[in-house]
Amino acid sequence: MIKKLRIKFIASIMLMLTLVLVLIFASLNLVMIRTGEQQTFALMQKIADNDGQLQQKKSTQAPESIQPEGSKPGKIPLEIPAIPESQTNFSVKLDSEGVILAVISQFPDQVTAEDIEQLVAAVLAEPKTQGKLAATFYLIEAKPYGSIIVFSNGQTEDNIMSRLLEISIYVGLISLVPVFLIAFFLAKWAVKPVETAFEKQRRFIADASHELKTPLTIINTNADVLHSEIGDNKWLGYIQSEALRMSKLVTDLLYLTKYDTQENIYENQLFNLSEAVTGAVLPFESVLYEAGKTLTTDIDANLLYHGDEGKLKQLVVILLDNAVKHSRPNSSVTVRLKQQENRYKLSVHNFGEGIEESERERIFERFYRVDTSRARDTGGYGLGLAIAKSIVDGHKGRIQINGKTGEWVEFVVTL
């Protein structure tokens, strides 16, 4: 239990710190992307304001330009051509009808007229006046002669952002190592008080159970001797009955104590599981008959299993005893053992009050009862199902509860 608690604590800390790291690096990347875009658009706006130039020139010399065939851009092409990385930006002047008037560029030989027409056509089809197509930023500004479109290469910025994302992932993964060490030591420190309290409780239960065994044995022996002398007696019967209940309680507590300390309490060997289940079920036929109920079995033959035969028989007895006690009068109890691929499924079904969905996880806790008023009627202490789960866990299996409240319940063990 302590080991599971420590693992959950480490997992919780790791999850929280990982989420924090993801948020930090994601925010950093988003801020960098947003800042880069704002700077790019600010520069493009300056170029548009200067009518295609990065800065206004006093010289009357006309800027170098490409003059493609003046025609209206056609349909949007399937592929948007990208600006070469060496080409930072260029501008395209259009008249009021979208006909290209001039292309202002410092490197006119790197962007062809066909590429320009395709880019212009794609931008004019966009609803926004600024944005990004593929790896190219664009900005449209109205002018007295029509409009000007400023293009800027975003490939370099995309490469930088990709590299930043890779670095963030690498740093994040490396950061998980110190995060795990921090979580490990924090979990060990936080769970220590619980571990100490649990160890004291376990030791007390073990010591108390051992101390109770001797007086209970003496009481049982003397009660048996007295019964042989005076015969049947109501008061003596009460003493014997309660002494037997106390003996069973002590035995159960000792078993759970050994399970908690992870002692090797299982004697695993290959045996016939079908015969073991059948042998555990047979004694209940008379019990159910006397209670006016019926027992139905559906057990596949010759199923071999490697485990502790005695403990698995005890598991069947616990589940069947629980079903008998909580089934309705004149109803049936069904025990099934089936092979499904490489798994065995053992189920015990009965008609009765059932178990609420919210109670199904807690039903395996020690001393827990759905209805405490039934404790006296059933004669148990709420340890049976806790022992059943420990046996299943000890065999690396799984136990679950199916059913419908007020109608039926089924315990299913998967081995």
Side-chain angles (χ1 to χ4, degrees):
M1 186 183 78
I2 298 298
K3 185 178 179 181
K4 290 181 180 180
L5 181 62
R6 189 181 291 117
I7 292 173
K8 287 181 180 179
F9 198 91
I10 292 173
S12 299
I13 296 176
M14 286 286 291
L15 179 61
M16 288 188 291
L17 293 180
T18 301
L19 288 176
V20 170
L21 288 174
V22 169
L23 288 174
I24 291 174
F25 286 119
S27 301
L28 176 63
N29 280 266
L30 289 174
V31 169
M32 292 296 293
I33 291 172
R34 185 61 179 166
T35 302
E37 289 180 351
Q38 289 176 346
Q39 291 175 348
T40 300
F41 284 123
L43 178 62
M44 293 169 67
Q45 184 64 55
K46 184 177 180 181
I47 293 172
D49 293 340
N50 294 334
D51 204 30
Q53 297 294 326
L54 184 61
Q55 56 184 7
Q56 291 181 340
K57 294 183 179 180
K58 295 181 180 179
S59 173
T60 57
Q61 183 179 359
E64 192 171 7
S65 64
I66 298 176
Q67 193 72 28
E69 299 178 4
S71 60
K72 249 184 184 178
K75 296 191 297 181
I76 305 172
L78 295 177
E79 296 184 1
I80 308 299
I83 304 174
E85 290 194 29
S86 58
Q87 175 65 58
T88 305
N89 56 70
F90 68 92
S91 305
V92 179
K93 291 184 177 182
L94 306 172
D95 65 12
S96 58
E97 295 186 1
V99 178
I100 297 176
L101 300 175
V103 179
I104 304 171
S105 172
Q106 299 299 319
F107 303 93
D109 58 326
Q110 294 181 348
V111 183
T112 66
E114 184 180 356
D115 289 342
I116 292 171
E117 289 179 357
Q118 290 179 344
L119 282 169
V120 170
V123 168
L124 292 179
E126 292 293 316
K128 297 184 292 185
T129 57
Q130 68 176 40
K132 190 176 183 181
L133 289 173
T136 304
F137 291 97
Y138 70 88
L139 183 143
I140 306 174
E141 184 168 294
K143 293 290 183 179
Y145 51 79
S147 62
I148 185 170
I149 305 177
V150 181
F151 294 96
S152 180
N153 176 34
Q155 188 61 49
T156 302
E157 182 179 334
D158 289 346
N159 293 337
I160 294 173
M161 290 300 105
S162 297
R163 185 59 180 164
L164 177 62
L165 179 60
E166 289 178 8
I167 293 173
S168 299
I169 293 173
Y170 292 147
V171 173
L173 292 175
I174 294 171
S175 300
L176 290 179
V177 176
V179 166
F180 173 78
L181 294 175
I182 293 171
F184 179 80
F185 287 108
L186 278 177
K188 191 174 181 180
W189 170 77
V191 175
K192 188 65 178 177
V194 180
E195 187 176 3
T196 302
F198 181 77
E199 177 60 26
K200 288 181 179 179
Q201 173 187 288
R202 185 198 63 77
R203 191 173 299 169
F204 168 77
I205 293 174
D207 293 343
S209 299
H210 278 293
E211 291 298 324
L212 285 170
K213 286 184 72 175
T214 301
L216 282 171
T217 302
I218 295 172
I219 291 172
N220 280 321
T221 303
N222 283 277
D224 291 340
V225 172
L226 188 59
H227 180 267
S228 64
E229 292 184 359
I230 67 173
D232 292 336
N233 181 277
K234 181 174 67 174
W235 312 113
L236 182 58
Y238 291 156
I239 294 173
Q240 290 176 313
S241 175
E242 293 304 312
L244 286 173
R245 287 186 63 203
M246 284 295 294
S247 296
K248 186 179 183 304
L249 173 62
V250 169
T251 302
D252 291 345
L253 288 173
L254 284 173
Y255 168 81
L256 290 173
T257 302
K258 289 180 180 179
Y259 176 78
D260 290 336
T261 56
Q262 298 182 343
E263 291 185 20
N264 187 16
I265 56 177
Y266 297 101
E267 298 177 0
N268 295 332
Q269 59 183 357
L270 188 65
F271 68 97
N272 191 313
L273 181 61
S274 303
E275 293 180 359
V277 172
T278 302
V281 169
L282 284 177
F284 282 87
E285 288 185 344
S286 59
V287 176
L288 284 161
Y289 179 78
E290 292 176 2
K293 304 172 185 178
T294 57
L295 175 63
T296 304
T297 58
D298 184 8
I299 300 173
D300 287 353
N302 298 320
L303 299 182
L304 300 181
Y305 183 72
H306 189 271
D308 191 313
E309 182 176 0
K311 292 294 187 294
L312 289 173
K313 281 184 176 181
Q314 184 183 3
L315 168 67
V316 176
V317 169
I318 291 171
L319 296 179
L320 194 49
D321 180 64
N322 183 75
V324 172
K325 289 176 179 177
H326 301 114
S327 58
R328 287 196 296 264
N330 302 318
S331 64
S332 64
V333 175
T334 304
V335 179
R336 292 186 179 90
L337 176 63
K338 294 291 180 180
Q339 180 175 359
Q340 296 181 356
E341 297 180 352
N342 62 335
R343 294 183 177 88
Y344 295 152
K345 283 196 177 289
L346 168 69
S347 64
V348 180
H349 176 284
N350 71 275
F351 295 95
E353 296 179 10
I355 301 173
E356 295 282 352
E357 190 77 32
S358 58
E359 303 285 347
R360 292 180 186 179
E361 287 297 325
R362 299 193 62 193
I363 200 70
F364 297 107
E365 294 178 7
R366 297 170 191 183
F367 299 107
Y368 181 79
R369 288 184 172 277
V370 177
D371 185 0
T372 55
S373 65
R374 295 192 302 179
R376 187 173 300 172
D377 296 333
T378 57
Y381 293 96
L383 291 176
L385 291 177
I387 293 173
K389 189 175 189 309
S390 71
I391 294 173
V392 175
D393 292 342
H395 286 81
K396 309 299 181 184
R398 182 166 51 93
I399 184 169
Q400 63 187 50
I401 302 174
N402 301 324
K404 187 174 182 181
T405 306
E407 294 189 16
W408 60 275
V409 65
E410 181 181 44
F411 286 83
V412 181
V413 176
T414 304
L415 298 172

